[in-house]
Amino acid sequence: MTTDTTTASDCAAPRRGRPRSEAAEQAIFAAVEELMAGGTSLPELTIEGIAAAAGVGKATIYRRWPNKEALLVDMVSRMEEPLPSTTGSVRGDLVAMIEYMRLRGLAKRSRWVLKAALGQMHSSPELHAAYRERVIKPRRQAARELVRRGIEEGELRSDLDEDLVGDLLVGPILARSVLWDDSDLEDPALAVKMVDALLQGLGGPAARG
Amino acid sequence: MTTDTTTASDCAAPRRGRPRSEAAEQAIFAAVEELMAGGTSLPELTIEGIAAAAGVGKATIYRRWPNKEALLVDMVSRMEEPLPSTTGSVRGDLVAMIEYMRLRGLAKRSRWVLKAALGQMHSSPELHAAYRERVIKPRRQAARELVRRGIEEGELRSDLDEDLVGDLLVGPILARSVLWDDSDLEDPALAVKMVDALLQGLGGPAARG
Amino acid sequence: MTTDTTTASDCAAPRRGRPRSEAAEQAIFAAVEELMAGGTSLPELTIEGIAAAAGVGKATIYRRWPNKEALLVDMVSRMEEPLPSTTGSVRGDLVAMIEYMRLRGLAKRSRWVLKAALGQMHSSPELHAAYRERVIKPRRQAARELVRRGIEEGELRSDLDEDLVGDLLVGPILARSVLWDDSDLEDPALAVKMVDALLQGLGGPAARG
Amino acid sequence: MTTDTTTASDCAAPRRGRPRSEAAEQAIFAAVEELMAGGTSLPELTIEGIAAAAGVGKATIYRRWPNKEALLVDMVSRMEEPLPSTTGSVRGDLVAMIEYMRLRGLAKRSRWVLKAALGQMHSSPELHAAYRERVIKPRRQAARELVRRGIEEGELRSDLDEDLVGDLLVGPILARSVLWDDSDLEDPALAVKMVDALLQGLGGPAARG
DNA sequence: GCATAAACGAGACGGTACGTCAGGTCTTTAA
DNA sequence: TTAAAGACCTGACGTACCGTCTCGTTTATGC
């Protein structure tokens, strides 16, 4: 999706000519953030505007990403930080993971990028795939890993499909952060409540009896 | 956002001048469906193209909706059918609701509209609000209603926030239908599995003990 | 070019149905004059605007004239007043004719119509012809008549083509009123100067000797 | 009104960015001529059509001229060739000047442009001014110059306003070429007849006696 | 050290779609 | 039947961006 020149710096070929300017790249990222922070909606965010705001030629952007969406996905995947999954118990890790997603959904800086990429990703199949490959899949993978560990350690039921359990855990927080209002994320105890409710089940006395 | 002509059909004023053509409206809807069915991606779906496919002037579209997104949201909300919430037990109703959403997510005809509106809705706040008001809110409302009934009848725990319970039930299926792949919806027993897992809880012997 | 209904009011047929509103016609004329007086340039003068300003439906205009230009030509030809050709000497009549054209060129009310029609008349051949037939031809005809009389009475040379003499007399004042600035028409003695200069000839001593 | 690129070719500033394509400019001019030659009337001559015929984007036209009229005025002023005022006697020069205007009025290639610009120039004051400044004023200036020379050399009367004399000479041919029919220009001896008639005067025996 | 080669800013290029406006026609209800 | 109102289809308007392509300049390397 993006060019390999930056990551593949250890390439054997000598790459003659003037190297790509790192400063330009940073200026582009900064311009996008600044524009979005300044109330620019996503369709209003044009390559032309980014180039102008960054003091950069349009070709300098197109040399790095084939289109606006690729640039955004690239920005998103760069913002992904490793899950802080280092806690002891599986329940604690689940809470940590959901809390992490809650905070990301709340964070002003990353929220628009998240929503943007999610929103626009349906436009083209390849972008959709790229986003799922680089952002969603790792998260689901981490969730599944956690679920597997929980099953092994007996903290989670073993008679259920791992993927299903993973989605039951991750789905609600994703829906709240992406599809609905931001106000639904403000409760600091949300992660704990969610995990506990899910672990214990929603059934009342009638169902439990 | 949308025209009042359909809802305000009981208006007292005589509405002078030539009335809006119902045929044109249907032609527009049909053209959108046809184009999307024909592999047109969402940004490729232009007002100009819709007008041409419908054999209609652009102004006839702009007279009804201010932009493409409003047209899509309108289409979505017209496709909304009342939930078949007529079953006996609360668990049965929950299954029915989730099954309904699963089928809607699978249905070729409505899926792209759903995704489209969801995807593009982040572009402008007013559209976002409109979509939430006319599509999401009713669904959440229905879910909450069901949850309340479940609590009253003892089928659901009474010590939890109703909204939270509603989201725990609705979130996973929404995430699967909107954010992820369509292949995750193919299991016909999915709704039953989800509801039962949620009601009984995900906790294993360690947590339960 | 225009409809005959107004002039042919003595038509034998009973003309069933609601008769055409004379008030509407006057309102249209008034609206055009008002708009033009209000600084509306000619391409800005739209049928739609006229109808709105006159409080009249567009169809009411189209029922009378096929297009904007026809309406203007009709207005021009209605404004044409008979030449005051009642004076004694031919020289006096020539001066009167040119003075009449000078005043028409200066008159705020008729100037824009004159220029408008002249300007737009090149757009379509039939309009061009209509304008020439109803406005230009009568003037040239009157001028030629005058020239013929002048030749008969010995006040004008008889060895020249009548049309040429007519144009030599009428051309300069027409050019000044239509093609050039309005400031060139302000001299009240212009008509006398022109006619006398033309009658006596522009040649100086060298040519005359 | 027009771009400076052609006239200000000696500009000191480096003119950054890709330079404007001379080929595109020529293609535009050619397209206009071709369209007009092909029977397109002036209001039918759209920017859209010109761009299509020239194989050029609309923006390429709008980058150079603010509207259709400016483009036409520019074309007219580029077609202006220097008057062939090199003859010996003042009378000869006058004949040459009027003959030149007669031929321009007859010339198929320039006639429509002339009429077009003259016709449309009344639409907007700035265009009117531009046309007068770049086309009409030079012609009148040349005529006045000639008149002054004629007065000095005694070939023209010295007791008349120079401007008036100029208009008496130029007005008739202008009226014939612009306002009236083309058939009035066909006589090859027209210029000589006009000048001689004007120099000798139109007055007959009665006036002369 | 000096050519080579690529990236740089700027901005013009051919296009496409935008949302608006007006043209001229047609279909309502009211007079 | 005409009037007003206003919706209809058509098509041009002038603008904004798209993604590509020159320009002249700058900046690294490699001969």
Side-chain angles (χ1 to χ4, degrees):
Chain A
M1 188 63 19
T2 60
T3 34
D4 329 68
T5 46
T6 50
T7 57
S9 53
D10 54 331
C11 184
R15 307 285 285 108
R16 307 222 316 177
R18 177 174 174 176
R20 294 207 180 150
S21 155
E22 181 62 27
E25 202 140 326
Q26 293 308 320
I28 293 167
F29 288 148
V32 173
E33 293 214 38
E34 183 188 351
L35 285 172
M36 292 303 294
T40 311
S41 85
L42 200 62
E44 288 168 12
L45 182 73
T46 64
I47 293 278
E48 203 127 340
I50 296 171
V56 144
K58 279 199 291 177
T60 302
I61 298 182
Y62 281 112
R63 212 172 281 123
R64 289 167 165 77
W65 303 277
N67 47 50
K68 183 173 67 176
E69 288 76 27
L71 165 57
L72 293 181
V73 171
D74 198 20
M75 286 189 72
V76 172
S77 64
R78 275 164 203 248
M79 284 164 137
E80 286 293 312
E81 307 160 25
L83 262 175
S85 59
T86 46
T87 332
S89 76
V90 166
R91 175 183 167 276
D93 283 1
L94 285 172
V95 169
M97 182 175 72
I98 290 178
E99 174 68 5
Y100 167 80
M101 294 172 91
R102 183 182 77 92
L103 291 177
R104 282 195 70 80
L106 269 182
K108 251 192 105 179
R109 190 165 159 278
S110 68
R111 201 178 48 207
W112 65 261
V113 198
L114 184 66
K115 291 196 174 182
L118 266 171
Q120 297 290 28
M121 82 186 183
H122 300 296
S123 42
S124 59
E126 70 273 16
L127 177 59
H128 193 148
Y131 184 85
R132 264 211 306 258
E133 203 64 30
R134 302 195 38 185
V135 178
I136 289 192
K137 207 164 163 182
R139 291 193 183 185
R140 271 185 114 182
Q141 193 75 33
R144 185 155 41 221
E145 210 69 38
L146 217 49
V147 167
R148 185 170 303 137
R149 227 186 77 206
I151 291 173
E152 286 173 3
E153 301 186 4
E155 290 196 58
L156 291 177
R157 287 168 56 182
S158 58
D159 57 339
L160 293 176
D161 180 20
E162 290 175 9
D163 287 344
L164 179 63
V165 174
D167 288 357
L168 291 177
L169 285 161
V170 167
I173 187 68
L174 260 188
R176 283 210 172 184
S177 23
V178 173
L179 304 180
W180 298 340
D181 212 354
D182 310 321
S183 63
D184 295 315
L185 298 174
E186 286 167 357
D187 182 6
L190 184 64
V192 179
K193 287 182 186 169
M194 272 190 171
V195 171
D196 283 345
L198 286 169
L199 289 184
Q200 297 166 21
L202 307 176
R208 209 168 292 271
Chain B
M1 185 78 0
T2 59
T3 33
D4 330 65
T5 46
T6 50
T7 57
S9 53
D10 55 331
C11 184
R15 308 283 286 108
R16 306 224 305 185
R18 178 172 173 176
R20 296 212 177 143
S21 155
E22 181 62 28
E25 202 141 326
Q26 294 309 320
I28 293 167
F29 288 148
V32 173
E33 293 213 40
E34 183 189 350
L35 286 172
M36 292 303 296
T40 312
S41 87
L42 199 62
E44 288 168 12
L45 182 73
T46 65
I47 293 277
E48 204 125 344
I50 297 171
V56 144
K58 278 199 289 177
T60 301
I61 298 181
Y62 282 113
R63 212 173 282 125
R64 289 168 164 76
W65 304 276
N67 47 52
K68 183 174 66 178
E69 288 77 28
L71 164 58
L72 294 181
V73 171
D74 199 22
M75 287 190 71
V76 173
S77 65
R78 274 162 203 250
M79 285 165 135
E80 287 294 311
E81 307 159 25
L83 263 175
S85 58
T86 46
T87 331
S89 77
V90 167
R91 174 180 167 279
D93 283 0
L94 284 172
V95 169
M97 181 176 71
I98 289 177
E99 175 68 5
Y100 167 80
M101 294 171 91
R102 182 182 80 92
L103 291 177
R104 281 195 72 79
L106 268 182
K108 252 191 102 178
R109 188 164 159 280
S110 69
R111 201 178 50 206
W112 64 262
V113 197
L114 184 67
K115 291 197 174 182
L118 266 169
Q120 299 289 26
M121 84 185 180
H122 300 294
S123 41
S124 61
E126 69 273 16
L127 176 60
H128 193 147
Y131 184 85
R132 265 210 306 259
E133 204 64 30
R134 301 194 42 184
V135 178
I136 290 192
K137 207 164 161 182
R139 292 194 182 184
R140 270 184 113 182
Q141 193 75 31
R144 185 154 41 222
E145 210 68 40
L146 217 49
V147 167
R148 184 170 303 137
R149 226 185 78 206
I151 291 174
E152 285 173 6
E153 302 186 4
E155 289 197 59
L156 291 177
R157 287 168 55 185
S158 58
D159 58 338
L160 292 176
D161 181 20
E162 291 174 7
D163 287 344
L164 179 64
V165 174
D167 288 358
L168 290 177
L169 285 160
V170 168
I173 187 67
L174 262 189
R176 283 211 171 183
S177 27
V178 174
L179 305 179
W180 298 340
D181 212 356
D182 310 320
S183 62
D184 295 314
L185 297 174
E186 286 168 357
D187 181 5
L190 184 65
V192 179
K193 287 182 185 169
M194 272 190 170
V195 171
D196 283 344
L198 286 169
L199 289 183
Q200 297 167 20
L202 308 175
R208 207 170 295 269
Chain C
M1 189 60 21
T2 60
T3 34
D4 327 68
T5 46
T6 50
T7 57
S9 51
D10 55 331
C11 184
R15 310 283 284 104
R16 306 218 319 171
R18 180 171 171 176
R20 290 206 182 156
S21 156
E22 180 63 26
E25 202 140 328
Q26 293 310 320
I28 292 167
F29 287 148
V32 173
E33 293 214 39
E34 183 188 351
L35 286 171
M36 292 303 295
T40 311
S41 86
L42 200 63
E44 289 169 13
L45 182 73
T46 64
I47 294 277
E48 203 127 333
I50 296 170
V56 144
K58 279 199 289 179
T60 302
I61 298 182
Y62 282 112
R63 213 170 281 124
R64 289 168 164 77
W65 304 276
N67 47 51
K68 182 174 66 176
E69 288 77 29
L71 165 58
L72 293 180
V73 172
D74 199 21
M75 287 189 71
V76 173
S77 65
R78 275 164 202 247
M79 285 163 138
E80 286 294 311
E81 306 159 24
L83 261 176
S85 59
T86 46
T87 330
S89 75
V90 167
R91 175 182 166 276
D93 284 359
L94 284 172
V95 169
M97 181 175 72
I98 291 177
E99 174 67 6
Y100 167 80
M101 295 172 89
R102 184 183 78 91
L103 291 177
R104 281 196 71 81
L106 268 181
K108 257 191 98 176
R109 189 165 159 278
S110 68
R111 200 178 50 208
W112 65 260
V113 198
L114 184 66
K115 291 195 174 182
L118 266 170
Q120 299 289 27
M121 80 185 183
H122 300 295
S123 40
S124 59
E126 70 272 16
L127 177 59
H128 192 146
Y131 184 86
R132 265 211 305 261
E133 203 65 30
R134 302 193 39 184
V135 178
I136 289 191
K137 207 164 164 184
R139 291 191 183 186
R140 270 185 115 183
Q141 193 75 33
R144 186 155 39 223
E145 210 68 40
L146 217 47
V147 167
R148 185 170 302 136
R149 226 186 78 207
I151 292 173
E152 285 172 5
E153 301 186 4
E155 288 196 60
L156 292 177
R157 287 168 55 184
S158 57
D159 58 337
L160 293 177
D161 180 21
E162 290 174 8
D163 287 343
L164 179 64
V165 174
D167 288 357
L168 290 177
L169 285 161
V170 167
I173 188 67
L174 261 188
R176 282 210 172 184
S177 24
V178 173
L179 305 179
W180 299 340
D181 212 356
D182 310 321
S183 62
D184 294 316
L185 297 174
E186 286 168 355
D187 182 6
L190 184 64
V192 179
K193 287 182 186 170
M194 274 191 169
V195 171
D196 284 345
L198 286 169
L199 289 183
Q200 296 167 19
L202 307 175
R208 207 170 295 271
Chain D
M1 187 71 10
T2 59
T3 32
D4 329 66
T5 45
T6 50
T7 58
S9 52
D10 55 333
C11 184
R15 304 284 285 106
R16 309 218 300 182
R18 178 172 174 177
R20 298 218 176 137
S21 156
E22 181 62 28
E25 203 141 328
Q26 292 310 319
I28 292 166
F29 287 148
V32 172
E33 292 213 39
E34 183 188 351
L35 286 171
M36 293 301 296
T40 312
S41 88
L42 200 61
E44 288 169 13
L45 182 72
T46 65
I47 293 278
E48 204 126 343
I50 297 171
V56 145
K58 276 198 292 178
T60 301
I61 298 181
Y62 282 113
R63 214 172 278 125
R64 289 167 165 76
W65 304 277
N67 47 53
K68 184 174 65 176
E69 288 78 28
L71 164 57
L72 294 181
V73 171
D74 199 21
M75 287 190 70
V76 173
S77 65
R78 274 163 202 249
M79 286 165 133
E80 287 293 311
E81 308 159 24
L83 263 175
S85 58
T86 45
T87 331
S89 77
V90 167
R91 174 180 167 279
D93 284 0
L94 284 172
V95 169
M97 182 175 71
I98 290 177
E99 174 67 7
Y100 166 81
M101 295 170 93
R102 183 183 78 93
L103 291 177
R104 281 196 71 81
L106 269 182
K108 251 191 106 178
R109 188 165 160 277
S110 68
R111 199 178 52 207
W112 65 261
V113 198
L114 184 67
K115 291 196 174 182
L118 266 170
Q120 299 289 26
M121 84 187 180
H122 301 295
S123 41
S124 60
E126 69 272 16
L127 177 59
H128 193 146
Y131 184 84
R132 266 210 307 259
E133 203 65 31
R134 300 193 42 183
V135 178
I136 290 191
K137 207 164 162 183
R139 291 192 182 186
R140 269 184 114 183
Q141 193 75 32
R144 187 156 38 222
E145 210 69 39
L146 217 47
V147 166
R148 185 170 302 137
R149 227 185 79 206
I151 292 175
E152 285 173 5
E153 300 186 4
E155 288 196 59
L156 292 176
R157 286 167 56 182
S158 58
D159 57 338
L160 293 176
D161 181 21
E162 291 175 7
D163 287 344
L164 180 63
V165 174
D167 288 358
L168 291 177
L169 285 161
V170 167
I173 187 68
L174 263 188
R176 282 209 172 183
S177 23
V178 174
L179 305 179
W180 298 340
D181 212 355
D182 310 321
S183 62
D184 294 315
L185 297 174
E186 286 168 356
D187 182 6
L190 184 65
V192 178
K193 287 182 186 169
M194 273 191 171
V195 170
D196 283 343
L198 286 169
L199 289 183
Q200 297 167 20
L202 307 175
R208 206 169 294 270

